[in-house]
Amino acid sequence: MEPFFDQIPVSGLAEHRFLEYEKLNVRTEDARKLAAYILNRYSNRSQSVKQYKGKLIKFSAKNNSTKGQVKFDDIVCHIIETGSFDHQKFNFTPLSSSLLDSTAVQHTIPAVGVSFRLPTDYPNFPLTPTLESEGMVFTSFQTPIQQNILRLHRILVEDSDRIVNERVLEWVNDMRMLLNDCISLVDITLHQVYFAAEYNLRPEWKFDASKLGSRTGVRITDKLRWIGQITGKPLDNAVSELKSFNVLRGVRNHLNHFDPPCVAISVDDAADWLNRISSIGFLLWKIRSKLDAQLTRELIEMALGPKVKVVPQIQSSARLPQRDGAGYSSSVWSSN
């Protein structure tokens, strides 16, 4: 019997990339808000874009051994031009939240009878990750997942020729992993908030187990309410972001559980899902704003990344938008 991949017909379009990135187009309004947000967390301020605009910002560089100044508008221009934030360009410390991003990894070959222990940041937490052989320890999984989302997004676009060739299953698995990581990143953030409140890492936050309910067997829509219940700042400004989150969550659930037992994925569907990753970046920014937590470079790039467009193999002005009942919508249960 032939190997499975040898049984997949090749259409002859194997060298054509069906997806590509559009030119980076960061909105000035978003760049200004991001610049102000970043500076406020660096300096423990609470200033608006209007208060920063056109100003020279004084700062302490890196380990506070030197001081300097930077124009707010220069930071804005940098974000617009790159869709990112390079802390080294402005001699700042790396973007990171001590609450969410304090990842520690230890590769170790200890001496016989020696243990490596790395307590979590949560006071009196009952578990202490321990190694007695070569291995690694994580106190946060934010950074690996954020980096993987960016990596997979790029691969799914740059290797979109795989959609119609013998590597199609690799492409589908990369899409499955991307969707899983996006939902997991939100879920992990919510659990970190829960633990921070439960173990009094943030004394000003409220923890009422009877109102918050169990961490397990709970819908993520209920977990999202934890933000307001714990911080007193409801996540009431993320309607469009949550809409995209729920779309991607629905697809993730379908691909994981395969219910219904069929799926169609067109290049139009793929582009739509990839373009919704930006909303996940903005959603996580809005969640972090309720926590007064700094962003990361990866989250900024998720939010501001370029749009993805479909590139048909046959260029024709007669190509119509995908209709309802075709592509992915043909393989899901009707909501009626």
Side-chain angles (χ1 to χ4, degrees), residues 171-308:
W171 189 93
V172 169
N173 279 326
D174 284 342
M175 178 62 80
R176 289 177 61 249
M177 178 58 72
L178 175 68
L179 297 175
N180 272 290
D181 275 359
C182 285
I183 307 310
S184 292
L185 189 56
V186 175
D187 204 22
I188 286 171
T189 302
L190 297 173
H191 281 149
Q192 288 176 296
V193 174
Y194 189 103
F195 285 125
E198 182 179 11
Y199 288 94
N200 207 34
L201 185 60
R202 289 282 186 92
E204 70 275 19
W205 287 356
K206 296 179 180 179
F207 182 79
D208 186 336
S210 64
K211 290 184 178 179
L212 297 174
S214 172
R215 294 192 317 276
T216 61
V218 180
R219 296 179 304 173
I220 200 164
T221 51
D222 294 325
K223 293 179 182 179
L224 288 164
R225 297 192 185 97
W226 291 348
I227 299 296
Q229 293 168 332
I230 289 172
T231 69
K233 302 173 184 177
L235 187 65
D236 53 5
N237 62 335
V239 174
S240 63
E241 291 84 359
L242 286 172
K243 180 179 179 181
S244 283
F245 172 76
N246 286 326
V247 168
L248 296 183
R249 183 166 61 93
V251 179
R252 187 281 303 260
N253 290 345
H254 184 184
L255 298 184
N256 281 355
H257 304 296
F258 215 58
D259 179 4
C262 57
V263 66
I265 303 173
S266 70
V267 291
D268 303 86
D269 297 317
D272 176 61
W273 299 341
L274 290 167
N275 283 330
R276 290 180 187 273
I277 303 302
S278 173
S279 292
I280 304 301
F282 276 104
L283 173 61
L284 289 162
W285 175 13
K286 291 185 176 183
I287 289 175
R288 288 190 176 218
S289 72
K290 306 298 182 180
L291 315 178
D292 195 24
Q294 183 61 284
L295 292 168
T296 65
R297 176 186 60 81
E298 290 84 1
L299 288 177
I300 291 171
E301 292 178 7
M302 280 177 60
L304 302 183
K307 293 288 187 181
V308 175

Side-chain angles (χ1 to χ4, degrees), residues 61-116:
K62 303 230 173 179
N63 59 359
N64 295 322
S65 61
T66 60
K67 296 183 181 297
Q69 59 186 19
V70 63
K71 291 182 179 179
F72 175 76
D73 292 346
D74 287 347
I75 297 177
V76 173
C77 288
H78 169 68
I79 293 173
I80 291 173
E81 291 171 0
T82 65
S84 183
F85 181 81
D86 180 1
H87 66 278
Q88 294 179 323
K89 179 178 176 64
F90 303 100
N91 203 28
F92 288 169
T93 54
L95 287 175
S96 180
S97 163
S98 59
L99 173 68
L100 302 173
D101 304 311
S102 55
T103 302
V105 184
Q106 180 74 18
H107 299 272
T108 179
I109 305 176
V112 175
V114 175
S115 296
F116 172 78

